[in-house]
Amino acid sequence: GINLYGDPSSTQSGVIVPKPDSPNVYYIFTAAAASGIEGICYSEVDMSLNAGLGDVTVKNVPLITPAAEKIVAAKHCNGIDYWVIVHGYDDPDSSYYAYQVTTGGVLPPVITHIGNTSTSWVGYLKVSPNGTKMAAANSYGGNQVDTVQVFDFNNSNGVLSNCISIPIPGGG
């Protein structure tokens, strides 16, 4: 799989999730660096190809651009599907995009407008082990105060709610 998007300098360059009910197929979701033009994309890998070494069967399918360098996966409450959650960049509506990965593929996103407007592409997303909370670390640089935001995550419908914003004085 050469020439897959993503970037080694991204704070979260990619995440891999299995395709439900397909033991040899995986999705690689990638995030471009510094709100790059590639944004968030996905590729599909079939590990049964190339004598068991695998091969890319679908490459760099665009999902959203511009996007922050933040990407996380969470298990769907049905125990089969997955959610891949990303954040837009320079987005006045502060949009989070939750893509459900099912046996049929990657579905259109559930979009939640919540939290800080993202003028920061740097930071991390993390989902709690039980899949009901998500944290977003936001590093702005300059004179802005960095934050960590904590949300409720509904792992049945992909919606974020109840944002709690915690300022991090001094940044970093």
Side-chain angles (χ1 to χ4, degrees):
I2 60 171
N3 298 319
L4 295 181
Y5 291 159
D7 194 285
S9 76
S10 293
T11 52
Q12 288 179 295
S13 182
V15 67
I16 299 171
V17 297
K19 183 175 183 180
D21 292 335
S22 298
N24 295 313
V25 179
Y26 295 84
Y27 289 105
I28 302 172
F29 290 84
T30 57
S35 70
I37 60 170
E38 297 91 3
I40 305 294
C41 296
Y42 75 88
S43 298
E44 186 176 296
V45 175
D46 186 336
M47 293 304 296
S48 68
L49 301 175
N50 194 20
L53 297 175
D55 203 359
V56 176
T57 56
V58 176
K59 188 182 286 189
N60 298 325
V61 176
L63 293 174
I64 174 180
T65 191
E69 316 179 329
K70 305 173 188 180
I71 187 167
V72 69
K75 197 82 158 151
H76 190 284
C77 71
N78 66 15
I80 299 167
D81 298 343
Y82 290 87
W83 291 103
V84 174
I85 307 163
V86 301
H87 196 274
Y89 172 70
D90 202 16
D91 179 354
D93 293 328
S94 186
S95 301
Y96 282 91
Y97 298 78
Y99 293 90
Q100 188 175 353
V101 179
T102 70
T103 58
V106 180
L107 300 183
V110 173
I111 303 171
T112 305
H113 305 290
I114 193 169
N116 289 352
T117 301
S118 184
T119 56
S120 165
W121 61 77
V122 178
Y124 259 71
L125 299 178
K126 184 73 174 169
V127 173
S128 64
N130 69 1
T132 63
K133 299 282 186 189
M134 186 184 83
N138 304 297
S139 180
Y140 297 99
N143 294 327
Q144 296 186 55
V145 174
D146 293 348
T147 61
V148 171
Q149 294 181 311
V150 180
F151 307 92
D152 289 335
F153 178 63
N154 184 324
N155 60 4
S156 68
N157 66 17
V159 173
L160 293 162
S161 60
N162 301 323
C163 176
I164 299 170
S165 189
I166 304 164
I168 309 296

